[in-house]
Amino acid sequence: MKAVVVERYGPPEVAVVAEESMPEPGLGEVLVRVDAAAVTSGDARMRAASFPPGFGFLARLGIGIRGPRRRVLGVAFSGRVERASSDVAEFSPGDEVAGMTGARLGAHAEYVAVPSSRLAPKPRAVSPEDAAGILFGGSTALWFLRDRAHVRPGDRVLVNGASGSVGSAAVQLARHFGASVTAVTSAANTQLVLGLGAERAIDYRETPVAAIPDHFDVVFDAVGNLSRAEGLPLLAPGGRLILAVAGLADTAIPHRGVITGTAPERAEDFELLLGLLASGELRGTTQALDGLESVAAAYRLIDSGRKVGNIVVRPRLTGHTGAGSWG
């Protein structure tokens, strides 16, 4: 099969298409033919060894010193079941599914083997592109907002980086939970975030997030450019500061009201997110590129800081490069 391989850390061009062995599903696993795979900011950080402050040495020890030990990156995907292990009863060949691979990575390929516990059925009403696109940002935003910050109806939520993968999901999920949302983004993305449910949009070029005079019950920094010292003054009494891309110091040193960490990848969360997409309560913000060779182009867009929403790659050419769903 074809896959995108990263042999060493570096710029987008280190991600090249190569022939790899077809993965074999083990016990409890399913082989999926990939229809769409997300290219995320997490993938880009791993490809470039560009980790949050303080994590560089530890990350290289865990992931690889000169390059990723797992050469095929990619975590979130959608596709069709090709075959399943004999002990898997919940999925059959031909089933449409979406899921995440966790630390084993491997989704930037034509096929991926994954434990059935990391898969959710894909509703027919949801495109493969939107299914793959929602899982990374959606599961991250869901865990921070629902499970950690316990967002309630009437809460005032500020989302910094509201037009990205995590940020666009956070705007929509906070609104779904009954909060009023203020979105920090560029002027070019104002209409996008307002359309996703934000009540107000702030252009960070005119008003830096740390200079916003209002106070919020939850401040969600989705991009990693707001420090704990800058975020805490934005909180109302009893408020919670979410640092989704926190450095080592903010992660290791607890502080009341500051939430950091890594979101789990749970099939029940995938099913919830896909169901919200199918019902129209969440909107897809997905740009799709054709061919695995487009992974390098996706990385260039992420590295530029101008990515909007989610980027997915369709491993097999469909003849309409650049198509996407924007709700």
Side-chain angles (χ1 to χ4, degrees):
M1 69 166 188
K2 293 189 184 321
V4 178
V5 171
V6 176
E7 298 275 7
R8 59 182 176 82
Y9 299 124
E13 290 70 28
V14 301
V16 297
V17 179
E19 288 288 339
E20 291 286 296
S21 299
M22 179 80 74
E24 287 294 330
L27 288 177
E29 293 185 349
V30 170
L31 180 67
V32 177
R33 182 184 180 188
V34 177
D35 289 329
V39 185
T40 71
S41 57
D43 297 325
R45 284 192 292 270
M46 191 177 302
R47 179 218 82 229
S50 177
F51 304 110
F55 279 108
F57 178 70
L58 294 174
R60 283 178 182 258
L61 282 180
I63 297 169
I65 299 298
R66 294 182 175 85
R69 293 189 186 93
R70 295 189 177 273
R71 306 184 314 153
V72 181
L73 306 184
V75 173
F77 66 92
S78 66
R80 294 176 182 269
V81 173
E82 190 79 4
R83 65 178 183 272
S85 171
S86 59
D87 61 336
V88 173
E90 61 269 39
F91 296 109
S92 301
D95 287 350
E96 295 184 83
V97 295
M100 297 181 73
T101 61
R104 68 167 55 192
L105 308 175
H108 292 167
E110 292 180 318
Y111 294 88
V112 63
V114 62
S116 62
S117 59
R118 288 181 168 272
L119 291 174
K122 184 188 77 64
R124 287 186 177 272
V126 178
S127 71
E129 295 82 3
D130 283 344
I134 194 61
L135 294 187
F136 171 74
S139 59
T140 300
L142 182 66
W143 182 70
F144 277 121
L145 290 172
R146 183 193 63 186
D147 300 342
R148 298 296 309 281
H150 308 296
V151 169
R152 300 177 293 270
D155 276 351
R156 297 157 296 171
V157 175
L158 176 74
V159 179
N160 180 44
S163 61
S165 177
V166 175
S168 61
V171 169
Q172 297 187 80
L173 287 169
R175 188 72 186 89
H176 174 72
F177 294 139
S180 63
V181 181
T182 297
V184 179
T185 187
S186 66
N189 293 320
T190 293
Q191 292 307 311
L192 170 67
V193 297
L194 293 176
L196 295 178
E199 294 184 4
R200 180 171 58 137
I202 295 175
D203 179 359
Y204 66 84
R205 292 187 179 93
E206 291 189 1
T207 306
V209 60
I212 295 172
D214 307 306
H215 294 89
F216 303 89
D217 300 298
V218 175
V219 172
F220 192 142
D221 174 34
V223 290
N225 63 8
L226 184 70
S227 70
R228 183 166 71 185
E230 293 170 324
L232 287 173
L234 296 169
L235 298 179
R240 291 84 76 198
L241 172 63
I242 299 170
L243 301 177
V245 193
L248 179 60
D250 285 336
T251 301
I253 303 173
H255 190 288
R256 182 177 178 84
V258 178
I259 299 170
T260 65
T262 303
E265 299 174 6
R266 300 180 295 209
E268 59 266 31
D269 292 343
F270 306 159
E271 195 160 356
L272 171 63
L273 293 165
L274 294 169
L276 291 174
L277 278 175
S279 69
E281 293 183 67
L282 287 185
R283 290 169 49 185
T285 56
T286 310
Q287 178 182 0
L289 304 175
D290 274 331
L292 287 171
E293 66 275 8
S294 297
V295 167
Y299 280 139
R300 283 191 287 272
L301 186 54
I302 293 170
D303 289 359
S304 76
R306 296 191 297 271
K307 180 179 76 70
V308 177
N310 307 295
I311 302 177
V312 303
V313 166
R314 293 180 282 236
R316 285 162 297 280
L317 294 176
T318 62
H320 46 282
T321 301
S325 169
W326 298 94

